[in-house]
Amino acid sequence: FGLPRTTYTITLPEMVAALPISNSDVDRSDQFTIRFELVLVDGRRFSFADNSGTLTGSFFSSPFLYTATVVCPPKPPTPGVWTVEMQDAFGDGWQPTTADGGGPGLVVTLSDGTVYEIGLCTPYEDPGYDCTDGASSGTTTFTVPAGLTEAADFNFRGDFWGEISFQIITPNGNTVADIPAGTEAGSIAIDYCKD
């Protein structure tokens, strides 16, 4: 329309560098807000607080305020040895689906078909899988082979008594899921921003 136009682009590293934070402070679903101010040659200034239908709808076609949400897309899981640190608040192992046990609390399925069943042993019954000893806490590992795994599904089977908590740690030493006691059954969202 014969009026000045501009396009503005900023990367995540540039936004982080402009603020008193570091990359490790940025997490999935964090938001950055960018506010523009238009300064005319006669000294008048317009920004988000000055928005009106006349200003932004017909003359300066800009809301002057933009919000960008950090999104970390899924990626292939890091090859190597992953660690799961497990806790049980009551100290009697995991009973994910029944009062007596009911199988593993966490099931990891790799895209190559490999399945890992993970949980703390309970004294109440044979859990039916290779559980980890430790009534209150325990650590186990599983291996993601290099070059063969395109994806991994982490499924939490449940928390019958609301006592189960665990952390999933990548081969790089980064905690990508920290699941508190009382979490509902279902897929575990892995925070790929942290690895």
Side-chain angles (χ1 to χ4, degrees), residues 35-58:
R35 183 184 64 84
F36 291 97
E37 183 177 62
L38 180 66
V39 181
L40 301 181
V41 294
D42 63 7
R44 288 182 296 160
R45 296 172 178 265
F46 297 97
S47 190
F48 176 71
D50 305 306
N51 275 349
S52 68
T54 302
L55 179 66
T56 61
S58 59

Side-chain angles (χ1 to χ4, degrees), residues 78-133:
T78 303
V81 178
W82 288 57
T83 303
V84 180
E85 295 179 355
M86 301 168 281
Q87 301 84 37
D88 183 83
F90 192 73
D92 61 351
W94 283 12
Q95 297 91 48
T97 58
T98 71
D100 294 327
L106 177 64
V107 177
V108 180
T109 306
L110 305 182
S111 58
D112 68 359
T114 303
V115 175
Y116 295 101
E117 297 179 320
I118 298 169
L120 291 176
C121 298
T122 181
Y124 304 123
E125 71 176 22
D126 178 8
Y129 70 102
D130 189 18
C131 59
T132 300
D133 288 332

